[in-house]
Every structure is written in structure tokens, then in C-alpha cells.
Amino acid sequence: MHVLESYALQNDLKIDRPSIYEKFSPLAIEKFITIDTSNLDTSALSYDHWQLVVDLIYPALKEKGIGIIHLGDKGNIPLRSCYTATGQCNFNQKCYIINKASVHAGPNNESMHIASALDKRCAAIFSNNCYPNQFAPYWSDKRITEIIFPPSTQKPSFNPQENPKSINGIPPEKIAEKILNLAGIFTFVYGFQTLRIGSSFHSKRIESTLTHLLETKRFGVSSLIVRMDLNFNEGALIKQLKPSPC
């Protein structure tokens, strides 16, 4: 039973489609999809590979003249190739933007249920901390709704602060395919299969063979990994250690 139905049953209430008040928000594009990465301060809803998803869907969407608007909390890292609106609109403005979108994608947050109430095409991703059918977008037409969750043989943990996060077990190409299909693009072909993405995948690492003196601040890292196995040069190492740890 869906959690909304359970609540209605316990309180002798009738479920109806909500009335949503929209507030105008200026938009730079007319045709677009929305991705909301807000996680309600729970790690279980925080998918770490949205940028990989965007990198996969952007070329196909661009070819069709469709943009991507990134919604989310103020602290969310902006996604490249997207129009960023993270932390820039309130609830009612977010409703306005989602209602203009052709497809909405994101975890099980408020935006997903806004999109459901507005009868939008939805790609909803879930972790293994719950049963997706209990929290799925309630008002959505199942024919235009994709529920995506990681493979698992275990019962849900019901832990909002999962560690490790099961949601990261969803391959980015799977989410990309579902989003594009909802957008009417069925030609997406990826020439790989994600087997595993390690915890250090998104950590920036700079390796040096000491052939050039590098300033770590320019690369956004605090230290270098020196490949002395490729170039054993103690003099160059001494010079490199002066501007940065290695």
C-alpha cells in the first residue's frame, strides 16, 4: 500500500489531486527537461553520478533543441551543460518550471511529487532504503513514469543516512536511457556497461612524472601523486615539494 493511501485510511480521508499554486519564474529556454538533485538532507536520496547522466543525455537532447534545467538546493554542485536554478527559486516557482518541462527526473523528493501532480513524464530514482511502490509518484500515469532502483536481494534498510549508498548502484546509462525514452528519443546507444563505480571515482587526482613543475592550486587539488616509478628524479622531486605536497 502506498504511504499516502495508508495515511488516508488511518485518518478517514479522501485522496484527491492537489491544487498547485505556480509563481512565474523567468526562463532562458522554451523546450527543456528538469533534473532536481535535492536530497532532503538524507544521503539515501543523494545520487552522486548525475553529471555522468547529463553527459550522456545532453548530445541527444541538444540535437532535438531540448535543454536541461538543474533544480535543487543551494548547496548542490551545479551540473555542467545545464541551466542552473539551484537555490534560486522557491516552491511555487519550482512548480512553474516543472510544469513547463517535458520530462522531470530526480530522486524521491518534493519535486518528483509536484511533477506527478502535474501529470508530467517522470523518471524517479530510489535507493534500497524503502519499497519504491510505497513512495512512487502517486498521481502519475504509469505509462509515462519510470521507477528506477538499484538491484538488490536484501530487504530495505529504512535508513535515511545509508553508508554505503545503495542509490549509487544504479548505472548512469540506465537513468539516461529512461530519461531520453520519456523525451521521445529512442536512438540512444551506449557502448559500455557500468560494472562498478568506486568511492574515489569523483575525487580529482593529478599525477606527475616530474617533467614539469606544477602548481596544485591551478588544478584544484591539494597535493600531487608523483610517479617516481616512471621518472626517478630526486632533484625534480625536491623542486616540486617546495610549492606543493606530494
Side-chain angles (χ1 to χ4, degrees), residues 46-119:
S46 181
Y47 185 65
D48 293 336
H49 312 316
W50 278 116
Q51 186 60 61
L52 297 179
V53 174
V54 170
D55 292 343
L56 289 170
I57 65 177
Y58 176 74
L61 291 174
K62 184 180 179 182
E63 190 176 327
K64 298 291 184 180
I66 302 172
I68 307 171
I69 293 182
H70 178 200
L71 302 171
D73 300 324
K74 187 176 181 180
N76 291 162
I77 298 174
L79 297 173
R80 297 186 302 273
S81 304
C82 298
Y83 292 88
T84 300
T86 53
Q88 299 178 22
C89 52
N90 59 30
F91 179 89
N92 306 104
Q93 290 173 316
K94 189 180 288 187
C95 295
Y96 176 86
I97 295 172
I98 293 173
N99 199 20
K100 297 289 184 182
S102 55
V103 178
H104 179 74
N108 179 35
N109 54 25
E110 66 177 18
S111 291
M112 185 55 62
H113 298 283
I114 291 171
S116 174
L118 293 171
D119 202 28

Side-chain angles (χ1 to χ4, degrees), residues 172-206:
E173 66 269 22
K174 180 179 180 180
I175 299 176
E177 181 180 31
K178 299 298 184 183
I179 292 174
L180 291 177
N181 287 350
L182 289 170
I185 301 173
F186 301 96
T187 55
F188 174 66
V189 178
Y190 46 92
F192 63 91
Q193 178 184 358
T194 300
L195 299 179
R196 179 179 178 272
I197 299 178
S199 58
S200 299
F201 179 80
H202 294 286
S203 300
K204 188 179 289 187
R205 294 159 50 96
I206 304 295

